[in-house]
Amino acid sequence: MAVENSGASRRRMYVRMVLRSLSRRRSRVVIALLAIAIGATTLTGLISIYTDIPRQMGRELRSYGANLVVIPDGKPVIDANVLPALDAAVGDGDGDLVGRAAYRYETVTINSQPVSAAGTDLDDVRAVRPYWQVSGAWPQAGEILVGRDVADQLGLATGESVTLAWSAGKKQGSDSDSTDEFTVSGVLDTGGSEDALVILERAGLEGLTGEVGAIDVVEYSVATSADQMSAIVTRITESTPGVAASPVKRLARSETTVLATLSSLLLLVTVIVLALTMITVATTMMAVVAERRAEIGLRKALGAENRSIIGEFLGEGMALGALGGLAGGIAGLGFAQVVSLNVFSRGIATDWTLVPIAVLASVAVTAVACIVPVRRAAYIEPAIVLRGE
Amino acid sequence: MNLLELRGVTKSYGDVHALRDVDLCVEPGEWLSIVGPSGSGKSTMMNIVGCMDSPTAGSVVLDGVDIASMNASGLAHARRNTIGLIFQKFHLVAHLSAVENVMVAQYYHSMPDQAEALAALARVGLGERASHLPSQLSGGEQQRVCIARALINYPKLVLADEPTGNLDEANELLVLDFFRQLHADGTTLIVVTHDPEVAALGDRQIVLNHGRIVRQIDNRANARVPVALTPPGGLS
């Protein structure tokens, strides 16, 4: 019982000495704490960004357009009824579905000039192809968007009425044309093949052709990795017969390269910051220990063993590490949020598990940083220090 | 049986001999004063007797144990269990209160006991100042905390290095009164001092010069004792 009391009493005194050292040497402690907290802030922030960067950059790269295309396989068209099944296969946990657009292409005539028309859901297109520049307005019901080449070729301008004619004869052996009046809401200028299209709501095109529920191409924009994209393709192939899915390899490869480079860069910066933090903390702790040589000498003169001195100073260092790590960990999450908002214009996922990781990392770094100066100090001769040498 | 016996103790730092073939015995309950000019070897002798240094040659038997050949851990054990140290510059831990400074000595010795530490401070007249930091105490008060710390573990030998060197006259008298009281209670005291009046309070004085004991004075007999004469109690 006496041994237990002695042990508890000594533990209380140990904690008391550590706390007194931290609370009554504030100016010194604040400097050490700042060094540790800044390190933990940078570390947590960089890890937050490092882990979230593929998601953030993946979404950014989605502005370059669709990266997955689904076309008919063994059938002339895709039945619009399979779209929900395709969506489910794409968005089934392996990626972040940014947008999906289904297109029906037909050749129509404007003023007897053949023009390719794309019928689609225009809200969907804006998600998949955010890079489209429209002079004028996006079309509503009864309106069309004309590509720059079509507008130039046919002399069309925003606000003009045009008649779209479709001849069923090509498909059904009939010479009868169906026509519909549309208003040009805007001119599309992408610099790409879309400039040669007339774009309208799929319902409008179906009204003109009378063919409902047929899709030629479905485009998906998915923020995902190359591996996950392969899994999506496999899932579509297995779950939906009559279609063939394929990633847009040029984009996928670019994305993979960009993301890998960015990740490597961030990892490198994180490692360098960790090393710099360790050096800073070690330097600070060396200064802290050096200025307390007389106290260490006194404690030894009072009978302290070397291991006791090491334990006390290590305890202080680790307590500092825990406090600095906690403050820095929380600040680091905020830092990552600010960086993400400024660089990617959207918030970052706050991962609170990084805070205990920052605390543990800071304690470990501080302990490692302390051990050399404390060990050196513990072996000093008390007589020499007490004489002031 | 002597509490402390030094036989042929020599301490050299390279070619410099801080102590040369010193023999000395101290009886339990004796008050020994060590005097001598700067560089005479007083501090070296204090460090060796205080288990903070080891001699180059000779033996140092403290409380029946030869400490001359002890390792660092053995010396630390002897320091915390046998010796109470009082310093000229007090050497209190700046961020610990008076009572906590006393408890530090208990912590390394056995078990911290705040009530006992407070009682020790009360005995030196600092019961009301126990929660003050060293910076809030006068020099005399700091020295009294140092005395309370030195005595808290009931050491067999109290070593005081110029204990009144940094004190005004009033505090010097106060501290010397504590020493008298300790002596009366049977505590063994070794006091290093420059002050002849302080030295004269001891039972015996030894005068060091160039690392040798050049004179011994038995204050009790009020008679000078030639060098190499066996001190009271003999060398056993």
Side-chain angles (χ1 to χ4, degrees):
Chain A
M1 192 64 173
V3 173
E4 278 179 30
N5 286 341
S6 167
S9 177
R10 283 176 59 80
R11 276 194 295 277
R12 276 198 300 276
M13 186 63 192
Y14 173 84
V15 172
R16 192 169 173 175
M17 287 192 294
V18 168
L19 291 180
R20 291 288 188 269
S21 176
L22 296 181
S23 64
R24 288 180 178 155
R25 296 171 50 255
R26 282 186 199 148
S27 57
R28 303 295 187 196
V29 166
V30 163
I31 292 169
L33 214 52
L34 265 179
I36 297 163
I38 288 170
T41 300
T42 318
L43 197 64
T44 312
L46 283 173
I47 291 174
S48 277
I49 295 167
Y50 174 73
T51 51
D52 210 50
I53 200 78
R55 190 178 69 83
Q56 296 284 7
M57 283 305 295
R59 289 195 75 89
E60 286 300 311
L61 290 166
R62 292 298 78 248
S63 63
Y64 293 109
N67 56 350
L68 176 66
V69 175
V70 181
I71 54 173
D73 183 26
K75 296 179 179 178
V77 293
I78 299 170
D79 186 342
N81 291 327
V82 304
L83 287 177
L86 286 176
D87 291 349
V90 172
D92 198 16
D94 278 342
D96 192 356
L97 181 57
V98 177
R100 180 265 284 158
Y103 301 90
R104 172 65 175 159
Y105 293 101
E106 281 291 354
T107 302
V108 299
T109 56
I110 300 174
N111 299 335
S112 304
Q113 296 289 318
V115 179
S116 291
T120 184
D121 183 323
L122 290 159
D123 286 337
D124 291 346
V125 171
R126 292 171 84 158
V128 176
R129 302 185 182 213
Y131 56 90
W132 274 13
Q133 298 289 318
V134 173
S135 305
W138 283 75
Q140 306 291 321
E143 294 179 332
I144 58 169
L145 202 58
V146 295
R148 168 58 58 197
D149 296 346
V150 176
D152 290 346
Q153 184 186 343
L154 302 178
L156 298 176
T158 302
E160 281 188 32
S161 285
V162 293
T163 303
L164 261 60
W166 178 77
S167 171
K170 292 170 191 166
K171 285 189 176 178
Q172 299 168 8
S174 166
D175 289 335
S176 64
D177 283 359
S178 63
T179 59
D180 267 329
E181 288 287 322
F182 292 91
T183 304
V184 177
S185 69
V187 177
L188 173 67
D189 196 349
T190 68
S193 58
E194 300 97 326
D195 290 358
L197 291 175
V198 168
I199 295 132
L200 67 164
E201 285 287 345
R202 187 152 57 90
L205 188 62
E206 287 174 348
L208 185 67
T209 63
E211 194 175 2
V212 177
I215 304 291
D216 289 305
V217 176
V218 186
E219 290 180 347
Y220 283 95
S221 179
V222 195
T224 189
S225 66
D227 291 344
Q228 288 168 345
M229 181 62 88
S230 299
I232 290 171
V233 168
T234 305
R235 217 167 31 240
I236 289 173
T237 309
E238 288 173 354
S239 67
T240 316
V243 300
S246 57
V248 181
K249 286 183 180 166
R250 180 173 47 82
L251 264 181
R253 270 200 294 271
S254 299
E255 284 183 23
T256 304
T257 306
V258 169
L259 291 179
T261 307
L262 256 173
S263 295
S264 302
L265 184 67
L266 271 169
L267 184 64
L268 185 67
V269 172
T270 306
V271 169
I272 289 171
V273 167
L274 187 63
L276 289 176
T277 303
M278 205 170 216
I279 291 167
T280 310
V281 171
T283 310
T284 310
M285 292 313 296
M286 274 182 193
V288 167
V289 172
E291 73 174 15
R292 294 175 70 186
R293 273 169 57 88
E295 183 192 329
I296 293 170
L298 169 69
R299 288 175 185 273
K300 292 195 72 173
L302 294 176
E305 302 272 2
N306 288 349
R307 64 172 181 275
S308 185
I309 299 282
I310 292 171
E312 285 154 30
F313 277 78
L314 216 53
E316 275 185 38
M318 289 166 79
L320 273 176
L323 282 174
L326 182 65
I330 293 168
L333 292 178
F335 166 68
Q337 200 66 250
V338 170
V339 169
S340 185
L341 282 170
N342 282 287
V343 176
F344 302 106
S345 303
R346 60 168 68 90
I348 202 168
T350 302
D351 185 357
W352 288 103
T353 57
L354 286 177
V355 176
I357 290 171
V359 171
L360 289 175
S362 299
V363 167
V365 166
T366 317
V368 170
C370 281
I371 207 140
V372 172
V374 168
R375 273 182 69 88
R376 196 179 295 162
Y379 285 95
I380 59 177
E381 296 294 333
I384 293 172
V385 176
L386 295 178
R387 275 207 303 271
E389 292 176 16
Chain B
M1 183 182 172
N2 291 313
L3 178 65
L4 176 69
E5 287 183 16
L6 276 68
R7 289 173 182 270
V9 170
T10 297
K11 180 67 182 180
S12 303
Y13 300 98
D15 294 336
V16 179
H17 302 293
L19 288 179
R20 297 163 187 258
D21 198 23
V22 170
D23 292 326
L24 176 70
C25 290
V26 179
E27 286 182 324
E30 187 182 2
W31 178 342
L32 175 73
S33 300
I34 302 176
V35 293
S38 294
S40 60
K42 300 191 302 291
S43 295
T44 304
M45 183 179 278
M46 277 290 288
N47 290 338
I48 290 173
V49 173
C51 303
M52 291 186 282
D53 205 351
S54 298
T56 310
S59 71
V60 180
V61 178
L62 176 64
D63 197 22
V65 180
D66 188 354
I67 59 171
S69 55
M70 273 186 175
N71 61 13
S73 180
L75 290 173
H77 181 269
R79 282 198 297 274
R80 63 175 171 265
N81 288 302
T82 313
I83 293 166
L85 290 167
I86 298 169
F87 307 100
Q88 179 181 3
K89 293 179 183 171
F90 323 132
H91 288 304
L92 301 177
V93 180
H95 58 266
L96 296 181
S97 66
V99 69
E100 287 164 345
N101 265 285
V102 177
M103 290 170 73
V104 167
Q106 292 178 310
Y107 174 75
Y108 293 124
H109 177 266
S110 52
M111 180 177 77
D113 182 338
Q114 183 158 328
E116 196 180 356
L118 285 169
L121 283 174
R123 278 198 293 279
V124 295
L126 290 175
E128 302 297 315
R129 311 277 279 166
S131 60
H132 287 64
L133 293 172
S135 59
Q136 297 165 322
L137 300 173
S138 69
E141 287 173 328
Q142 289 187 53
Q143 189 59 293
R144 281 186 274 160
V145 176
C146 187
I147 291 170
R149 181 180 64 191
L151 301 178
I152 191 68
N153 295 321
Y154 305 100
K156 290 181 176 171
L157 174 62
V158 172
L159 290 176
D161 185 7
E162 299 283 2
T164 57
N166 278 356
L167 301 182
D168 58 26
E169 192 177 348
N171 276 302
E172 179 179 335
L173 291 174
L174 206 57
V175 167
L176 292 175
D177 269 347
F178 286 128
F179 284 8
R180 283 195 194 93
Q181 196 180 321
L182 281 175
H183 182 47
D185 291 344
T187 304
T188 310
L189 281 166
I190 297 180
V191 179
V192 170
T193 181
H194 276 104
D195 188 336
E197 287 184 22
V198 175
L201 294 174
D203 295 329
R204 187 160 56 105
Q205 298 179 48
I206 59 168
V207 182
L208 281 173
N209 201 358
H210 296 297
R212 295 181 192 277
I213 298 175
V214 295
R215 200 167 64 200
Q216 294 197 43
I217 303 168
D218 190 338
N219 292 331
R220 287 168 298 194
N222 199 21
R224 293 190 173 185
V225 181
V227 177
L229 274 186
T230 306
L235 285 169
S236 65

